[in-house]
Amino acid sequence: MLLGEQTGTAGHFSTISSSISAIIAHWRSYRHIHRIALVIFVLLTIFVLERYRSALASTFQTSTDPIAVPGGNSAQDNHYEPYPEAAANQGGGKHGAEESKSGKYQQMTPEQLLELSQKNAGNSTLGFHAIKYINMKARYDREDAMALQAYMSGLKIEDSPAVEADMIDPVGMPPTHRPGRLRIGEKGCWRAHANIWSEMTRHRLPPILILESDAAWDLNIRDIMSRLNTHFIDFLNQINSTAVHDPSYQSPNNHHHHHKSPPSYSDTGPIQPNPDDPWLSEHWDLFSIGQCFEYSQDREIKLVYDDESVPPGKEYWGKKMGKERVIRKSGGITCTTAYAISHTGAAKLLLRSALDLDNPVDLLIRRMVMSRDLVAYSLFPPVMAQWEYIKGIGMTERGAQSDINGGKHRDTPEDADMPGWKDVQEKASIWQTKGHHHDVGFEKMALKEAWTEIMGKEPEKLGESLWNPQTGD
């Protein structure tokens, strides 16, 4: 019996072993089919997860998710999150931003909030979501000047491609009741700005500071903007500002949905600093910090404050000023050298120009400010201006002083009169502010300080590295 039991057990294991071997052999005979089935299963899984990613994300998302922070670098900062339902139900208004803030600032005093707001207003993007400059692909000189300024002053600046003449096709331009009014360069200039407005509108981005490629600024721009911040908040409180109409989805500041009259000003309580948005962009569409001219409309709606970086002697509509700067309600600007735009302002400009592109971009903005379609503020003197090459070094002959009005591009003639190079050797600078920016006043224009700052030498040392025509060396 024992021998029989062992034999039966051995036979049982043999049967199992044979079955397993058969299964393995069967699998191997169909291994290609199984591999294909596995690949199909993985692809289907990826497709389903991608297809329902938004639904899955919203399932796990809460109202405490952060909104985008101006100047931030995380992936979450690419666009605003939808407004929390709580804020929408409260009806928005002046305190909408405060009500929807995360709890990270709840334990801070007003003084601490202001200090942090000032700090963020002087960060590498000057408190904005980004700083973008528009540049033609052939203007390597302006790209280098921008890089030098950013390097010395600690700014993080992104290039935004210009729209070249060969990219303009009449079929893609908006309608206009003034056919032939805009030159090809003016159309390209408008579209380069409109590309940024369009991106902001699509993604409801926080405010962006837009610069022309020949923008110039003070070496201490970050300190200047940080000091400005507290006075800008005071100014908004002084004029009893309220949030502008914001028609974007779920906005608590949608005056139509919440049955609010379109406001300019209100008298309901103080505006608090918001370190996540130092310039309180829900209160404006456009904030110009680099116009070349400003009209007189609303010039009395202003706040004057002391600023040591401003050279004394500037004149504000007949009144001599000391080392002071003015924050004012804009009367309509000329030149788009440097302006911040909120997503509400971007949407308005995009709509207006889509309906009728009847003016160059700066005059379009001016008309919308003067008609009060844009809520806009500005500075006097502005903190940014356009630069140009000093005369007599051959750059005017090249048409390099303006991308729109510079004339035909060509190389400098060999017989060109160039007395300006003597000044270059003495001052180690080829840049100056443009003549029509007569209101600007830099204490230390970054480009003019570049040689001393970067080389660590006085300007007269430049001559040692220049070609000497007398010795041929």
Side-chain angles (χ1 to χ4, degrees):
M1 292 295 295
L2 290 174
L3 182 60
E5 288 177 356
Q6 291 174 350
T7 302
T9 303
H12 178 68
F13 281 114
S14 176
T15 301
I16 294 175
S17 177
S18 299
S19 299
I20 292 175
S21 298
I23 292 172
I24 292 174
H26 181 77
W27 169 266
R28 286 176 176 172
S29 65
Y30 292 93
R31 61 184 181 275
H32 296 298
I33 297 176
H34 295 153
R35 288 173 182 173
I36 293 172
L38 180 61
V39 170
I40 293 173
F41 173 78
V42 171
L43 291 175
L44 284 174
T45 302
I46 294 173
F47 173 80
V48 170
L49 290 175
E50 184 67 21
R51 177 67 177 81
Y52 296 100
R53 181 175 58 178
S54 299
L56 290 170
S58 63
T59 301
F60 297 103
Q61 187 178 37
T62 68
S63 62
T64 59
D65 290 337
I67 63 170
V69 178
N73 298 315
S74 70
Q76 292 175 323
D77 295 337
N78 291 332
H79 58 81
Y80 280 125
E81 294 293 337
Y83 289 101
E85 290 293 339
N89 294 335
Q90 289 166 352
K94 172 173 284 192
H95 303 289
E98 286 80 359
E99 291 167 349
S100 63
K101 283 181 189 176
S102 63
K104 60 183 175 180
Y105 301 131
Q106 289 182 355
Q107 303 303 317
M108 297 181 70
T109 66
E111 292 76 17
Q112 291 172 325
L113 275 176
L114 180 58
E115 182 179 356
L116 185 54
S117 176
Q118 287 179 296
K119 179 181 178 181
N120 290 350
N123 67 12
S124 62
T125 58
L126 301 179
F128 301 105
H129 176 67
I131 303 176
K132 293 180 179 285
Y133 77 99
I134 299 170
N135 192 35
M136 307 281 286
K137 60 186 178 183
R139 294 308 300 261
Y140 306 115
D141 57 334
R142 293 187 175 184
E143 181 179 347
D144 294 344
M146 190 67 70
L148 289 170
Q149 293 181 94
Y151 173 68
M152 291 183 289
S153 56
L155 296 188
K156 179 183 177 182
I157 300 179
E158 306 171 15
D159 64 305
S160 183
V163 175
E164 311 281 343
D166 60 0
M167 299 169 65
I168 299 296
D169 188 322
V171 74
M173 290 291 103
T176 177
H177 79 280
R178 303 174 72 190
R181 171 67 178 83
L182 267 63
R183 294 170 290 175
I184 192 75
E186 291 171 329
K187 292 178 181 179
C189 179
W190 161 77
R191 188 61 235 178
H193 287 261
N195 283 343
I196 300 177
W197 305 340
S198 180
E199 179 188 11
M200 293 185 68
T201 304
R202 288 196 308 272
H203 302 297
R204 206 173 72 82
L205 291 176
I208 288 176
L209 179 61
I210 301 176
L211 308 180
E212 299 285 2
S213 59
D214 55 355
W217 56 84
D218 195 283
L219 190 63
N220 299 310
I221 184 66
R222 290 178 62 161
D223 291 338
I224 291 171
M225 295 297 284
S226 182
R227 288 195 299 270
L228 166 65
N229 183 246
T230 183
H231 301 291
F232 187 75
I233 297 172
D234 289 343
F235 170 70
L236 293 179
N237 274 307
Q238 174 182 295
I239 64 175
N240 297 315
S241 173
T242 61
V244 300
H245 169 58
D246 178 357
S248 61
Y249 181 65
Q250 288 188 329
S251 168
N253 297 325
N254 189 320
H255 303 147
H256 293 166
H257 287 184
H258 299 297
H259 309 292
K260 295 165 64 177
S261 59
S264 289
Y265 309 107
S266 175
D267 57 357
T268 56
I271 302 167
Q272 297 300 318
N274 180 2
D276 287 346
D277 183 9
W279 301 107
L280 301 171
S281 60
E282 68 171 5
H283 288 264
W284 47 267
D285 297 313
L286 185 143
F287 180 26
S288 177
I289 64 173
Q291 68 282 354
C292 62
F293 182 76
E294 182 95 18
Y295 286 79
S296 62
Q297 178 176 295
D298 293 327
R299 67 181 183 272
E300 294 305 320
I301 303 177
K302 68 182 190 299
L303 181 147
V304 182
Y305 71 97
D306 295 332
D307 188 339
E308 289 298 316
S309 67
V310 179
K314 296 294 178 182
E315 187 173 309
Y316 184 76
W317 297 103
K319 181 181 179 181
K320 286 284 186 182
M321 298 172 56
K323 297 175 79 65
E324 300 169 302
R325 201 180 300 274
V326 179
I327 305 168
R328 60 164 289 183
K329 182 172 173 60
S330 178
I333 65 169
T334 302
C335 301
T336 52
T337 308
Y339 69 97
I341 190 80
S342 67
H343 66 86
T344 57
K348 289 178 180 179
L349 285 167
L350 202 62
L351 174 62
R352 170 61 178 82
S353 56
L355 290 175
D356 184 2
L357 186 59
D358 59 345
N359 274 285
V361 62
D362 59 336
L363 301 187
L364 188 73
I365 291 174
R366 185 194 75 187
R367 288 178 175 272
M368 291 189 69
V369 171
M370 297 184 76
S371 65
R372 307 189 193 284
D373 291 323
L374 285 175
V375 177
Y377 302 110
S378 61
L379 300 176
F380 177 89
V383 299
M384 291 191 176
Q386 289 174 293
W387 63 262
E388 66 179 1
Y389 289 106
I390 64 172
K391 303 298 189 291
I393 63 170
M395 297 305 284
T396 301
E397 290 84 348
R398 291 189 191 182
Q401 301 290 34
S402 172
D403 286 332
I404 296 178
N405 302 311
K408 184 178 180 180
H409 295 180
R410 59 173 185 167
D411 205 352
T412 306
E414 292 184 9
D415 60 349
D417 184 26
M418 297 190 293
W421 282 106
K422 182 179 179 181
D423 288 337
V424 174
Q425 292 188 30
E426 294 176 354
K427 300 176 182 177
S429 176
I430 56 174
W431 304 280
Q432 63 185 10
T433 55
K434 280 191 173 179
H436 56 248
H437 280 269
H438 53 83
D439 286 334
V440 76
F442 294 136
E443 183 180 38
K444 290 184 176 182
M445 181 178 172
L447 286 174
K448 286 187 176 182
E449 300 291 326
W451 178 266
T452 302
E453 290 292 320
I454 295 175
M455 296 295 187
K457 299 178 180 180
E458 293 304 313
E460 60 267 17
K461 296 292 184 179
L462 171 63
E464 297 177 1
S465 66
L466 295 181
W467 177 71
N468 189 328
Q470 296 178 345
T471 64
D473 182 18

